[in-house]
Amino acid sequence: MNVLLPRFLKSSYRKEPLISVLITMGVVDALIGGLDDSWSLFTFGLGIAGVSLGWKLWRMYQSRPPMPEEPVVQHYLPSRSSSPTLPMLTVTKKKPPQ
């Protein structure tokens, strides 16, 4: 849990910073309002968080492609070489100089 939460927060802030800031602001307002018995601030915070979460879900469904297409495979090298194979090299043992 401790490892997954920071990764999730970082990735969400990088992808959609405005929506993430609004959600964070709404949750903090709701926490302050709930702990301080200020129900108007609590309601305002829940409203901001809910609207921004709805906006995020709406944008996520708008950007989703209808059907995933098959990826096009792009070959950079031919499957077989057009040049003939090179001969095998043999190492001859030399006598050390005397």
Side-chain angles (χ1 to χ4, degrees), residues 77-86:
L77 296 174
S79 58
R80 297 205 290 157
S81 176
S82 60
S83 63
T85 59
L86 296 173

Side-chain angles (χ1 to χ4, degrees), residues 1-10:
M1 173 77 179
N2 290 338
V3 175
L4 296 178
L5 186 63
R7 286 185 186 174
F8 173 73
L9 290 176
K10 285 180 185 179

Side-chain angles (χ1 to χ4, degrees), residues 68-74:
E69 297 179 9
E70 292 184 24
V72 177
V73 179
Q74 196 172 27

Side-chain angles (χ1 to χ4, degrees), residues 16 55-64:
E16 297 172 348
W55 186 23
K56 180 178 182 176
L57 291 174
W58 179 73
R59 283 185 49 142
M60 188 171 62
Y61 285 120
Q62 291 292 325
S63 65
R64 181 183 295 175

